[in-house]
Amino acid sequence: MAKKTINNDALIANIIKGIEEVKGNDVDILDLREIDTAVCDYFIICNGTSNTQVNAIVSSVQKTVSKELKDKPWHVEGTDNAEWVLMDYVNVVVHVFQKHIREYYNIESLWGDAKITSIENKY
């Protein structure tokens, strides 16, 4: 059976909702569709204040997307130490960092050609 196609906009909206439910910080959406070497269409990057919050963000995103869209990530890695968790939804990849790790790797600068949309914190 073929995997059903999930609308990117709906997926992104539900990922953001999951992040906001547990107060994830500094949410950026990187639109990679114009970049030939990109492995997906979008990165969503956010950070938490501790490994507990990083894992809570990951759990919240998974629950929200599963409930609303009946979809789950193709792959998740990094939950053991929860400094940088990657959630691969194929067209959309979510990076959940602890703040100091995010600053160190600075993914936004590595993908400098991407169109970046920052989501304001609602709290």
Side-chain angles (χ1 to χ4, degrees):
M1 188 166 105
K3 183 170 170 50
K4 66 179 179 173
T5 306
I6 299 286
N7 176 311
N8 280 347
D9 292 341
L11 180 57
I12 290 167
N14 280 283
I15 290 168
I16 302 296
K17 180 180 173 187
I19 293 168
E20 290 176 340
E21 294 265 321
V22 289
K23 297 183 171 39
N25 296 310
D26 305 321
V27 181
D28 287 335
I29 302 169
L30 279 64
D31 184 341
L32 307 171
R33 292 174 297 176
E34 301 291 318
I35 301 173
D36 293 337
T37 57
V39 296
C40 62
D41 292 341
Y42 296 94
F43 278 168
I44 298 179
I45 304 171
C46 70
N47 52 264
T49 55
S50 66
N51 57 351
T52 303
Q53 188 186 21
V54 166
N55 278 329
I57 292 166
V58 170
S59 178
S60 180
V61 167
Q62 287 179 312
K63 283 181 193 157
T64 304
V65 171
S66 177
K67 181 180 172 200
E68 299 294 328
L69 302 176
K70 311 290 186 258
D71 196 18
K72 61 182 197 255
W74 177 72
H75 183 72
V76 177
E77 64 183 71
T79 54
D80 289 347
N81 65 8
E83 291 183 342
W84 176 2
V85 178
L86 181 141
M87 306 172 70
D88 185 349
Y89 283 94
V90 184
N91 290 334
V92 179
V93 174
V94 184
H95 298 271
V96 185
F97 288 97
Q98 287 188 40
K99 187 174 175 66
H100 67 284
I101 302 293
R102 180 177 182 176
E103 289 168 354
Y104 179 80
Y105 285 103
N106 195 6
I107 286 183
E108 291 91 336
S109 72
L110 295 174
W111 294 92
D113 293 342
K115 179 176 176 261
I116 299 177
T117 304
S118 294
I119 308 295
E120 287 209 25
N121 292 348
K122 292 184 175 180
Y123 35 87

